[in-house]
Amino acid sequence: MIEPPDNALPGIDRSTATPLHRQVYERFRTAIEHGVLRPGDRVASARSLASELGVARGTVEAAYSQLAGEGYFCAQGQAGTVVSPSLPVQRPVRAGSRPVADAPALAGPAAPPPLQLGIPALDAFPRKLWARLMARRARAMGAADLFYGDPAGHAPLREAIAAYLRVSRGVACQPAQVFVTGGYRASLALVARTLLARDDRVWIEDPGYAPTRDVLHSAGHRVVPVPVDDEGLVVARGVRRSPKARMAVVTPSHQAPLGVSMSLARRLQLLDWASRAKAWVVEDDYDGEYRYAGAPLPALKSLDGHDRVLYAGSFSKVLYPGLALGYLVVPESLRERFENASRIASNGCPQITQATVADFIRDGHFSRHLKKMRLLYARRRALLVEALHKAFGDRVRIDLQAGGMHLIARFEGHRDSDVVLARRAQAAGLNCQPLSARGTTAVEGQGLLMGFTNVASPTQARQLATRLRAALG
Ligand SMILES: Cc1ncc(COP(=O)(O)O)c(C=O)c1O
């Protein structure tokens, strides 16, 4: 049900000579002509709009009948009144202005382009099952579900996450240590505002995940890039550059973007530094579940004898990113501080979404889904690798790590930088990303990152590889 928005239109004004029905009429007409109301949009009933505006119902009815008479409105019996579907669609315009060419129209959601990094297989998400679980939750909603939720997260979801982490990731924690957030960035922002002071130094991986740097930087902290080699973060370099850093943020299961797993020796060095420097370590375990050779590695948090590690998980890769849900596990010694910090603002996570995810985990769908996705991604990765080898022959070298959702393709002997190659691929509609843009000291820092999770068939893989070859030249 749509009412003419106030921002672009004159309000109801009792002090002018213009009759009220004429003012209502003008509001609608302008909204339609400015493209704010569109053909087919349903309008409020005369009775409810009259009550909303504090005018007599007859006033609104007079306006509606004039709008219908001039062809702006069209009555559809039981279905109510709509803006005439036969009117031409207008471009939206800014408040008070004439239609202009540069008025920005809001874009609807767009499907991600081929080879997009970091997203799960969107065609393989069990939508029907999800819709059923969500509908069941919606039907069962009681008064408590309509009230504000716990800012630390919906209790059944915190319990389900704690149980899952204990079994699957080797992380022993109580539900009270789990804080539900709006995703990884929200978790990191919560950590930063709870544990860090302005100008505190934080080690980040180089190359690394840009949002980590951006979140910390925008919160006023100083990021210290620390190189990554084939054993993960080079802890000794971090110690040399900034021994008194307050925190380190790492992706030990599957380094983003290089894909290496942090060796046990490095894990122990990092924990040792943290405990001596009284620093915190944030473990970003964004896709630790996806490993195609051998079992998933236990989380760094499982080795955390000194309680220095905060574990950040996300449902973006294991369910879908539009869900906007993640979680943070904090050491027991920090639980109260995080409870206080989380009370300052809502975590932004709708109760019904949290409850549905809890059902999904508890009813066993989550582990079944993960198992299926592991098999599917291994297959899809093989499809893309084979197609790239066929298209490029020995001009391409592909780094395959044990896990993850993307591969790194290196185009040997190409005279152009990976930034140029990525730009060409993107111009051809393929969302390849240059490795060198992810940091400054990358080992063998040139290559194209490509997500393989949505490469659905051998034919599609072949077409993508052919398109890429034509684009790279
Ligand atoms: C390294 C890394 N960490 C975390 C995430 C998850 O972030 P979010 O929960 O904000 O979707 C991603 C997603 O792309 C990622 O690549």
Side-chain angles (χ1 to χ4, degrees):
M1 200 70 76
I2 297 176
E3 289 166 18
D6 287 328
N7 58 358
L9 305 164
I12 298 290
D13 182 354
R14 288 186 161 72
S15 64
T16 70
T18 315
L20 295 182
H21 70 86
R22 181 76 199 173
Q23 293 187 41
V24 173
Y25 161 86
E26 288 290 352
R27 280 181 151 214
F28 276 105
R29 210 194 63 187
T30 331
I32 293 167
E33 287 177 356
H34 285 192
V36 180
L37 281 181
R38 285 187 283 189
D41 280 351
R42 213 166 151 216
V43 295
S45 72
R47 183 203 295 262
S48 59
L49 184 59
S51 135
E52 184 93 354
L53 298 178
V55 298
R57 182 170 157 189
T59 303
V60 178
E61 281 173 349
Y64 278 21
S65 108
Q66 187 176 352
L67 287 156
E70 293 178 11
Y72 288 104
F73 277 8
C74 161
Q76 294 198 326
Q78 291 282 8
T81 299
V82 297
V83 177
S84 294
S86 54
L87 288 175
V89 176
Q90 304 290 336
R91 285 168 151 282
V93 296
R94 291 201 205 97
S97 65
R98 287 179 291 107
V100 286
D102 65 348
L106 299 181
L115 304 179
Q116 169 74 41
L117 288 184
I119 49 167
L122 302 180
D123 60 332
F125 184 71
R127 289 180 222 195
K128 273 198 188 135
L129 167 66
W130 187 257
R132 204 168 65 231
L133 296 179
M134 198 104 190
R136 192 173 76 189
R137 274 285 153 195
R139 278 195 302 273
M141 270 201 318
D145 302 300
L146 303 181
F147 192 55
Y148 289 107
D150 183 337
H154 187 59
L157 178 57
R158 298 170 81 191
E159 284 162 13
I161 291 171
Y164 161 73
L165 290 178
R166 193 176 278 269
V167 175
S168 301
R169 310 291 299 121
V171 174
C173 63
Q174 295 301 320
Q177 292 168 256
V178 178
F179 290 80
V180 178
T181 68
Y184 166 69
R185 281 161 294 173
S187 294
L188 185 60
L190 175 64
V191 172
R193 88 171 169 263
T194 311
L195 299 182
L196 299 180
R198 231 190 136 66
D199 290 331
D200 274 355
R201 288 171 200 272
V202 182
W203 295 359
I204 59 166
E205 295 171 326
D206 181 7
Y209 182 53
T212 297
R213 178 198 61 213
D214 297 343
V215 167
L216 294 167
H217 204 259
S218 69
H221 311 302
R222 291 200 244 170
V223 293
V224 180
V226 177
V228 173
D229 66 12
D230 55 6
E231 286 191 67
L233 187 90
V234 186
V235 178
R237 293 283 292 274
V239 174
R240 224 178 306 145
R241 280 204 62 188
S242 183
K244 297 214 171 96
R246 299 298 306 128
M247 195 163 91
V249 184
V250 286
T251 51
S253 296
H254 182 238
Q255 204 275 332
L258 294 177
V260 297
S261 303
M262 193 183 230
S263 68
L264 181 62
R266 290 281 172 81
R267 290 175 188 232
L268 296 174
Q269 277 175 26
L270 181 63
L271 295 176
D272 182 55
W273 164 75
S275 100
R276 278 186 292 108
K278 299 259 171 300
W280 302 108
V281 175
V282 173
E283 174 175 20
D284 172 8
D285 198 24
Y286 64 107
D287 73 351
E289 288 89 349
Y290 293 134
R291 209 174 150 83
Y292 314 116
L297 292 179
L300 173 69
K301 177 74 188 157
S302 68
L303 298 172
D304 182 26
H306 295 280
D307 265 1
R308 306 308 304 176
V309 178
L310 296 97
Y311 175 93
S314 169
F315 287 107
S316 290
K317 316 272 187 195
V318 287
L319 293 179
Y320 63 98
L323 197 59
L325 212 58
Y327 51 89
L328 182 72
V329 179
V330 307
E332 173 55 30
S333 58
L334 292 177
R335 182 177 49 77
E336 239 181 281
R337 275 172 84 176
F338 275 84
E339 276 167 3
N340 293 334
S342 70
R343 260 184 233 120
I344 293 171
S346 152
N347 64 3
C349 310
Q351 295 247 60
I352 189 164
T353 309
Q354 296 186 64
T356 307
V357 175
D359 292 345
F360 194 81
I361 299 175
R362 230 181 6 216
D363 296 352
H365 303 301
F366 187 56
S367 54
R368 268 196 296 280
H369 180 61
L370 279 179
K371 190 168 156 215
K372 261 199 210 156
M373 291 308 102
R374 265 183 223 119
L375 290 172
L376 182 73
Y377 295 168
R379 246 191 346 260
R380 291 186 169 184
R381 184 171 80 160
L383 287 182
L384 185 60
V385 169
E386 193 188 328
L388 288 171
H389 277 141
K390 277 219 175 97
F392 290 92
D394 56 10
R395 284 186 297 141
V396 70
R397 182 160 61 84
I398 297 170
D399 288 357
L400 280 191
Q401 299 297 340
M405 301 166 88
H406 69 260
L407 52 80
I408 304 179
R410 303 182 196 263
F411 294 91
E412 317 256 271
H414 218 295
R415 60 187 187 290
D416 297 308
S417 73
D418 59 355
V419 174
V420 172
L421 296 184
R423 212 177 296 134
R424 284 194 201 136
Q426 287 161 12
L430 303 170
N431 201 2
C432 300
Q433 298 289 327
L435 175 58
S436 68
R438 308 261 156 162
T440 51
T441 57
V443 226
E444 294 190 83
Q446 297 267 319
L448 290 186
L449 308 176
M450 305 179 196
F452 50 74
T453 48
N454 285 281
V455 178
S457 66
T459 314
Q460 194 194 0
R462 253 194 323 273
Q463 285 167 348
L464 290 172
T466 311
R467 213 156 118 196
L468 185 66
R469 192 183 52 197
L472 298 192

